[in-house]
Amino acid sequence: MPYLQLEVIRNYPYATKKLLAKRIGETYAKIMKADANRITVSIRELGEGGIWRCGDHEPMPAAIMMCDIRQGRDAHVRTLLSRALIEMCNEVLGLETGQLNIEFTQHSGDEMYHQRLGSFSSEWSADEGAI
């Protein structure tokens, strides 16, 4: 953990996705005070018509990022991360303002085992994640 899943409606070149994954990982590690070796990013290209945001009018094309993270970080830290990720995705992928939503699911550390590191994540502590 964390696992950051971005779903978009367009296809992007390999180099663009690699650049975005690198920037997402660096940004997450910095803001959330996390070990970059535990971060996984996926970019799912669902194609035109694959994601819609509903409202009072016609549905509009959307994008979403699901962030599975260790529980415990306050809303302020998650807000900083959300704003940074939205700005980055809008810049790198050319998303429209208002198109991307960020959602968090928080887990205990022992819900994600890392084969490469040979262990579960530790529980988050305030000392680890303070900005």
Side-chain angles (χ1 to χ4, degrees):
M1 205 171 332
Y3 179 40
L4 309 171
Q5 308 162 62
L6 174 63
E7 296 182 355
V8 293
I9 59 173
R10 290 190 294 230
N11 294 318
Y12 297 93
Y14 179 91
T16 300
K17 292 182 281 190
K18 184 176 180 181
L19 169 66
L20 183 62
K22 179 176 177 50
R23 290 185 58 188
I24 287 171
E26 291 170 347
T27 300
Y28 187 95
K30 179 180 176 185
I31 292 174
M32 302 294 267
K33 304 295 186 208
D35 178 356
N37 291 302
R38 294 185 180 272
I39 300 169
T40 301
V41 175
S42 70
I43 301 170
R44 300 176 181 174
E45 300 167 316
L46 302 181
E48 187 176 356
I51 307 172
W52 296 96
R53 179 128 330 102
C54 298
D56 294 335
H57 303 286
E58 291 295 314
M60 60 182 274
I64 191 158
M65 182 179 286
M66 303 296 293
C67 301
D68 288 291
I69 66 170
R70 286 181 296 164
Q71 62 192 7
R73 292 170 177 92
D74 66 34
H76 172 70
V77 173
R78 288 180 281 126
T79 296
L80 291 174
L81 178 65
S82 296
R83 290 179 178 160
L85 292 173
I86 288 170
E87 181 179 321
M88 178 187 318
C89 290
N90 288 354
E91 174 192 333
V92 174
L93 301 179
L95 300 180
E96 297 176 24
T97 300
Q99 190 173 6
L100 177 60
N101 281 5
I102 308 285
E103 295 189 16
F104 292 90
T105 303
Q106 299 183 64
H107 301 273
S108 63
D110 67 355
E111 292 181 6
M112 180 64 72
Y113 185 87
H114 297 269
Q115 178 184 9
R116 191 175 91 183
L117 300 174
S119 67
F120 286 102
S121 294
S122 59
E123 295 302 321
W124 181 83
S125 72
D127 292 336
E128 179 182 357
I131 292 181

